[in-house]
């Protein structure tokens, strides 16, 4: 295997290498203009590309093509159309033309549209995104596309993302020009770290909750959790290792640069991180990675869980969104060793606006442990490193920050001495890390850690890009007109830091003190989705999105509706699953075991009144109380679900599911989990946490 990595890498992708090799040179040139400069593509060119693409895909076994897109559910959608076309004499040819390549027409009516459908026809279009290469998967030529309504409203996650990337590029180009750099385009880059769990297929299949909702809704904690901290970076189980190898291979064939793999903190938890890419490509690749993980796991007797919190009591899974800005030459957030323009541009790109924090609706469901207040972690020394030395007087800026470090201590490149001569000496990084910050600057990029493992990163990146575009626009407007650029720039930096320092927090983001401090600073603390989602229809945020042509008011409202509805639907499914499991599996199990205990006690007493039945009596007493509590909780939960569903608006429903249904689910679970701890193992119908998490 090892030897042919270079051979298989990208072998299923219609990438620039293939284009260059197979397309007539004029076609290649004009496609390249589209790819790199955003030039429109004419139909003649599309026809040639389509025909070459079809031949290439057929050589890889493809018989069908699909426009591959990301509706508002966040997952990917595909409808396969055959190349086959009968010619009338009983034979067929394989056809695929430019029109089919650039535009598709799936029926939009069965995808969530959040009211957009009411105002327009059911018809929707998919449009080719040539910047994300087509690929062959499962004998199908997949063409990454954006999905819009008949009247042009975005019905997907990709369209606003692409718009936000352009918005940011336009503003970043202006800023670079101020520093004497002439570039056509600034890309946003993303490297998503994907966490996931792998458990045995037989355990998965024995649990209705995992099958229907992706997480365990019942389950007493395992005697051993993650407290020994032995799983993180631990030796990888053989079957998991085999899974990872096949996964890497399949991803490499698809041109996905899977790079790092390791065990994560929780038992059975793992992570995969690719090398970063342009945002839309990175997100397409992340979605493909998730799909491949799910597909490949069963071959090894495993199932891949991508829910953000599959097990109570151990860590959940995240998807860290590592984000930066770069030109074709360099990463603009890399402070580098030397100050010139590059370091100047990095402060400009630092997104200090509180607007960003209030408009992010991605604090996920009720299960996510990260602090709901979004702050930035920017080590003081990094702020300082970001200034050119010619701006020496700006060192005093550091005094404005909470923990200034005297300039003499700036550890640009310090040697690390490990105290043992045989070990290599190496340079110390210029920053340590902060693992509790939701948005940390990690040396040459920001790491947004709030998204859950199942999320499509397009939403948070769309917001991030647009908020940064807004800031850069303000900077550019101010500096372009300045008489003395340097002093205007210094004044701007000072003012920006002063106005926004409340979002900088470099302490422990998990602590209770921080929650109080955040409230004191007036930072929003939206703890759950129904509380956070109204940010989508906040006029201030709508104005921001409209200013940059990223989302219209109608599109924002539609997303608000879709997200609320989705939230309620998820909790509804979970509640109904719990009710069914409790009624049909768990209560009957408790009753059988109680009957066994009662029979044992009665038989014992029949032999002799003097034989003790204390243990049976004690267990029976506790189980009986649990059974009663379960029965009552079932009634309460059913009522809460019925009441929530009967509410007239989506926002009221979502609030009721959060405020009333979730606590009723917790009560049912608490009673059932207590029963599990004392019920005979042969009677309990579900694989336990210890069996699932510590399989051999
Ligand atoms: P850690 O877990 O220590 O944060 P990893 O190596 O697991 O680091 O992941 C770091 C991620 O950050 C990788 O996916 C990497 O590609 C990504 N990354 C690195 N540089 C950039 C950049 N300039 N833009 C976006 N993502 C980046
Ligand atoms: Mg990380």
């Amino acid at each position: 295997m090892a030897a042919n990595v270079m051979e298989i890498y990208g072998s299923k992708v219609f990438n620039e290498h293939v284009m260059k090799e197979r397309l007539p040179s004029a076609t290649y040139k004009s496609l390249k203009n589209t790819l790199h400069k955003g030039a429109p593509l004419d139909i003649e060119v599309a026809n040639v590309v389509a025909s070459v693409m079809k031949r290439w895909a057929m050589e890889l076994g493809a018989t069908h093509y699909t426009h591959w897109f990301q509706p508002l559910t966040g997952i990917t959608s595909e409808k396969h159309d055959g190349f086959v076309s009968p010619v009338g004499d009983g034979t067929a040819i394989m056809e695929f033309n430019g029109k089919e390549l650039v535009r598709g027409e799936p029926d939009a009516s069965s995808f969530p549209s959040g009211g957009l459908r009411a105002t327009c026809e059911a018809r929707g279009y998919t449009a080719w995104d040539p910047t994300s290469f087509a690929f062959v998967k499962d004998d199908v030529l997949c063409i990454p596309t954006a999905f819009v309504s008949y009247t042009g409203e975005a019905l997907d996650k990709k369209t606003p993302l692409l718009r936000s990337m352009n918005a940011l590029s336009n503003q970043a180009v202006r800023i670079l020009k101020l520093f004497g750099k002439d570039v056509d385009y600034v890309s946003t880059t993303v490297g998503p770290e994907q966490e996931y769990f792998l458990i045995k297929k037989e355990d998965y299949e024995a649990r209705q909750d995992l099958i229907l909702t992706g997480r365990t809704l019942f389950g007493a904690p395992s005697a051993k959790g993650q407290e020994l901290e032995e799983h993180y970076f631990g030796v990888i189980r053989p079957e998991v290792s085999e899974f990872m190898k096949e996964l890497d291979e399949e991803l490499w064939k698809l041109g996905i640069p899977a790079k790092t793999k390791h065990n994560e903190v929780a038992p059975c938890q793992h992570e995969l991180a690719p090398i970063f890419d342009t945002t839309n490509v990175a997100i397409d690749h992340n979605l493909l990675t998730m799909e491949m993980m799910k597909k490949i796991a069963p071959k090894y007797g495993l199932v891949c869980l991508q829910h953000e919190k599959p097990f109570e009591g151990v860590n959940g899974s995240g998807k860290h969104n590592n984000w930066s800005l770069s030109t074709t030459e360099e990463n603009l957030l890399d402070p580098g060793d030397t100050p010139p323009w590059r370091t100047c541009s990095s402060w400009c790109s630092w997104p200090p606006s509180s607007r960003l924090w209030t408009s992010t609706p991605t604090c996920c469901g009720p299960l996510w442990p990260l602090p709901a207040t979004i702050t930035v972690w920017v080590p003081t020394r990094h702020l300082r490193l970001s200034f050119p030395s010619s701006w020496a007087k700006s060192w005093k800026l550091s005094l404005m920050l909470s923990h200034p470090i005297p300039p003499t201590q700036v550890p640009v490149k310090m040697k690390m001495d490990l105290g043992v001569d045989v070990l290599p000496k190496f340079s110390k990084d210029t920053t340590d890390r902060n693992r509790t910050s939701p948005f940390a600057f990690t040396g040459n990029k920001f790491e947004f850690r709030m998204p859950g493992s199942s999320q499509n990163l397009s939403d948070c990146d769309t917001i991030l890009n647009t908020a940064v575009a807004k800031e850069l626009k303000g900077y550019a407007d101010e500096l372009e007109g300045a008489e003395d650029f340097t002093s205007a720039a210094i004044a701007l930096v000072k003012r920006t830091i002063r106005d926004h320092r409340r979002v900088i927090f470099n302490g422990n983001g998990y602590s209770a003190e921080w929650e109080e401090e955040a409230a004191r600073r007036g930072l929003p603390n939206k703890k759950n989705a129904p509380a956070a989602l109204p940010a989508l229809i906040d006029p201030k945020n709508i104005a921001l999105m409209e200013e940059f042509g990223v989302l219209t008011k109608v599109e924002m409202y539609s997303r608000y509706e879709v997200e609320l509805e989705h939230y309620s639907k998820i909790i509804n499914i979970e509640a109904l699953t719990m009710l069914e499991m409790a009624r049909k599996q768990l209560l009957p199990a408790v009753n059988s075991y109680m009957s066994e205990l009662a029979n044992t006690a009665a038989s014992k007493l029949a032999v002799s009144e003097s034989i003790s039945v204390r243990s049976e009596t004690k267990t029976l007493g506790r189980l009986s109380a649990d059974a009663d509590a379960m029965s009552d909780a079932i009634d309460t939960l059913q009522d809460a679900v019925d009441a929530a569903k009967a509410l007239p608006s989506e926002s009221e429903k979502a609030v009721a599911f959060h405020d009333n249904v979730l606590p009723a689910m917790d009560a049912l679970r608490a009673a059932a989990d207590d029963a599990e701890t004392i019920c005979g193992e042969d009677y309990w119908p579900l694989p336990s946490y210890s069996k699932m998490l510590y399989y051999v």
Side-chain angles (χ1 to χ4, degrees):
M1 165 67 215
N4 72 353
V5 175
M6 289 191 300
E7 211 171 286
I8 63 169
Y9 192 85
S11 57
K12 293 187 169 182
V13 185
F14 195 75
N15 53 28
E16 280 201 60
H17 178 76
V18 179
M19 292 176 196
K20 193 168 174 189
E21 214 172 64
R22 298 193 174 221
L23 291 174
S25 63
T27 313
Y28 174 63
K29 230 168 147 184
S30 100
L31 187 58
K32 242 179 97 175
N33 262 339
T34 302
L35 292 181
H36 299 297
K37 303 205 168 133
L41 193 80
D42 72 65
I43 190 70
E44 303 301 315
V45 175
N47 275 330
V48 179
V49 176
S51 133
V52 172
M53 205 187 252
K54 176 197 68 185
R55 208 169 321 126
W56 166 84
M58 283 172 58
E59 286 169 23
L60 290 169
T63 52
H64 289 69
Y65 72 93
T66 183
H67 276 201
W68 190 73
F69 61 102
Q70 301 160 34
L72 295 178
T73 52
I75 50 177
T76 56
S77 293
E78 44 192 83
K79 177 187 98 187
H80 302 169
D81 283 303
F83 291 132
V84 68
S85 171
V87 282
D89 62 355
T91 61
I93 54 165
M94 298 298 256
E95 260 188 349
F96 183 55
N97 60 35
K99 194 169 151 271
E100 289 165 318
L101 168 65
V102 300
R103 208 186 79 171
E105 237 184 281
D107 180 0
S109 63
S110 300
F111 294 103
S113 74
L116 281 180
R117 217 162 47 229
T119 54
C120 49
E121 289 188 44
R123 188 178 272 194
Y125 294 112
T126 48
W128 182 30
D129 167 14
T131 59
S132 182
F133 299 135
F135 54 92
V136 170
K137 167 174 77 77
D138 211 7
D139 298 341
V140 178
L141 167 64
C142 300
I143 300 151
T145 53
F147 180 40
V148 295
S149 77
Y150 183 64
T151 42
E153 276 107 359
L155 290 172
D156 69 345
K157 305 266 181 190
K158 187 189 269 253
T159 308
L161 177 73
L162 292 172
R163 293 173 183 163
S164 76
M165 289 166 65
N166 279 339
L168 180 49
S169 174
N170 292 341
Q171 302 308 324
V173 163
R174 288 175 69 193
I175 296 282
L176 289 184
K177 194 162 267 153
L178 286 167
F179 288 97
K181 273 262 159 174
D182 210 1
V183 298
D184 290 335
Y185 198 84
V186 172
S187 312
T188 59
T189 51
V190 159
E193 295 164 60
Q194 178 71 45
E195 292 180 346
Y196 60 98
F197 280 81
L198 286 174
I199 62 163
K200 280 206 153 168
K201 193 160 168 272
E202 66 203 48
D203 290 336
Y204 173 86
E205 283 167 351
R207 297 199 58 128
Q208 198 67 3
D209 49 3
L210 284 179
I211 294 173
L212 295 183
T213 73
R215 72 169 177 123
T216 53
L217 300 167
F218 294 102
S222 161
K224 177 175 170 179
Q226 64 186 42
E227 59 275 58
L228 295 183
E229 297 173 336
E230 62 200 347
H231 196 254
Y232 191 55
F233 286 9
V235 178
I236 298 170
R237 282 187 174 103
E239 62 265 58
V240 171
S241 174
E242 290 308 308
F243 157 85
M244 287 175 166
K245 280 185 211 165
E246 181 169 345
L247 178 64
D248 276 343
E249 214 173 295
E250 289 307 313
L251 295 180
W252 291 334
K253 285 184 197 164
L254 290 167
I256 300 175
K259 171 97 172 152
T260 311
K261 51 187 179 182
H262 60 82
N263 282 353
E264 258 301 329
V265 173
C268 292
Q269 193 185 27
H270 314 280
E271 178 183 302
L272 180 144
I275 294 171
F276 66 93
D277 215 324
T278 315
T279 306
N280 61 322
V281 175
I283 291 174
D284 284 355
H285 282 174
N286 175 249
L287 293 166
L288 267 177
T289 301
M290 292 167 74
E291 179 182 330
M292 287 300 158
M293 284 175 169
K294 284 194 184 154
K295 262 193 195 152
I296 294 170
K299 288 195 191 171
Y300 299 92
L302 301 166
V303 168
C304 178
L305 303 178
Q306 293 170 352
H307 193 283
E308 68 206 31
K309 190 74 178 168
F311 301 100
E312 280 298 314
V314 297
N315 278 12
S317 298
K319 174 145 49 196
H320 294 176
N321 185 65
N322 293 278
W323 177 94
S324 192
L325 283 174
S326 57
T327 64
T328 45
E329 315 265 288
E330 55 206 320
N331 176 359
L332 298 177
L333 292 192
D334 190 342
D337 298 333
T338 47
W341 73 271
R342 181 161 63 150
T343 54
C344 308
S345 63
S346 77
W347 64 255
C348 288
S349 310
W350 167 51
S353 168
S354 55
R355 186 174 289 105
L356 169 67
W357 323 125
T358 51
S359 59
T360 303
T362 45
C363 359
C364 353
L367 306 161
W368 196 237
L370 273 177
T373 299
I374 307 179
T375 47
V376 203
W377 185 68
V378 192
T380 322
R381 64 187 76 135
H382 255 299
L383 277 177
R384 191 154 336 93
L385 277 174
S386 302
F387 303 115
S389 52
S390 58
W391 295 8
K393 60 184 173 182
S394 67
W395 287 140
K396 69 173 185 265
L397 280 170
S398 64
L399 297 174
M400 299 163 64
L401 301 166
S402 31
H403 303 290
I405 306 169
T408 49
Q409 287 179 25
V410 177
V412 179
K413 278 272 186 264
M414 251 167 60
K415 285 279 180 220
M416 235 11 206
D417 185 355
L418 304 181
V420 181
D421 285 342
V422 292
L423 297 178
K425 303 273 183 290
F426 52 82
S427 301
K428 200 164 149 171
D429 281 322
T430 49
T431 65
D432 193 7
R433 291 160 169 263
N434 181 324
R435 294 277 174 200
T436 63
S437 173
F439 199 76
F441 186 66
T442 53
N444 59 359
K445 62 188 186 298
F446 280 96
E447 183 168 347
F448 183 43
R449 300 206 179 95
M450 283 182 106
S453 51
S454 64
Q455 272 179 304
N456 182 318
L457 291 178
S458 303
D459 291 337
C460 72
D461 283 316
T462 298
I463 292 167
L464 188 54
N465 293 345
T466 314
V468 177
K470 171 75 179 170
E471 287 312 302
L472 295 187
K473 179 167 185 279
Y475 299 165
D477 288 348
E478 187 170 330
L479 297 177
E480 279 170 357
E483 270 176 32
D484 173 2
F485 172 70
T486 304
S487 55
I490 292 175
L492 185 149
V493 173
K494 279 190 194 170
R495 197 187 65 232
T496 304
I497 294 179
R498 190 190 60 230
D499 291 352
H500 298 292
R501 56 183 291 193
R502 68 183 189 135
V503 303
I504 302 180
F505 177 68
N506 293 346
N508 178 2
Y510 290 168
S511 69
E513 295 79 47
W514 165 236
E515 200 169 328
E516 285 164 27
E517 166 69 10
R520 207 178 50 70
R521 293 189 191 183
L523 294 170
N525 185 5
K526 309 285 183 198
K527 293 191 172 191
N528 54 69
L533 288 171
L536 280 170
I537 52 166
D538 182 329
K540 189 182 80 189
N541 296 331
I542 291 176
L544 169 71
M545 291 294 165
E546 290 202 316
E547 179 179 348
F548 290 91
V550 172
L551 285 166
T552 62
K553 182 174 176 184
V554 174
E555 289 169 328
M556 292 283 271
Y557 267 84
S558 81
R559 272 147 188 82
Y560 173 64
E561 287 288 317
V562 168
E563 293 297 333
L564 281 175
E565 207 180 317
H566 186 67
Y567 180 83
S568 300
K569 280 181 181 165
I570 294 284
I571 299 180
N572 182 47
I573 293 169
E574 291 184 346
L576 297 184
T577 306
M578 282 189 97
L579 286 170
E580 184 169 317
M581 289 172 75
R583 286 178 178 137
K584 295 182 135 170
Q585 291 187 286
L586 305 186
L587 262 184
V590 174
N591 286 335
S592 305
Y593 188 54
M594 284 199 294
S595 154
E596 159 92 29
L597 286 171
N599 285 339
T600 309
S603 323
K604 276 163 119 182
L605 291 174
V607 173
S608 161
E609 292 271 326
S610 66
I611 297 181
S612 166
V613 291
R614 202 165 72 243
S615 96
E616 290 84 353
T617 312
K618 274 202 299 200
T619 311
L620 265 173
R622 189 162 147 200
L623 273 181
S624 186
D626 285 338
D628 286 348
M630 284 169 73
S631 171
D632 292 343
I634 285 172
D635 295 340
T636 313
L637 179 55
Q638 184 71 64
D639 290 346
V641 171
D642 294 343
K645 281 207 271 207
L647 289 167
S649 74
E650 287 304 333
S651 63
E652 285 166 284
K653 275 186 208 172
V655 170
F657 271 105
H658 177 268
D659 290 355
N660 307 329
V661 176
L662 285 178
M665 286 164 61
D666 289 344
L668 176 54
R669 177 170 186 158
D673 288 0
D674 190 67
E676 182 188 352
T677 61
I678 46 172
C679 189
E681 189 172 300
D682 294 345
Y683 289 80
W684 199 254
L686 308 175
S688 66
Y689 266 36
S690 47
K691 179 164 185 294
M692 284 187 285
L693 294 172
Y694 287 96
Y695 67 83
V696 281

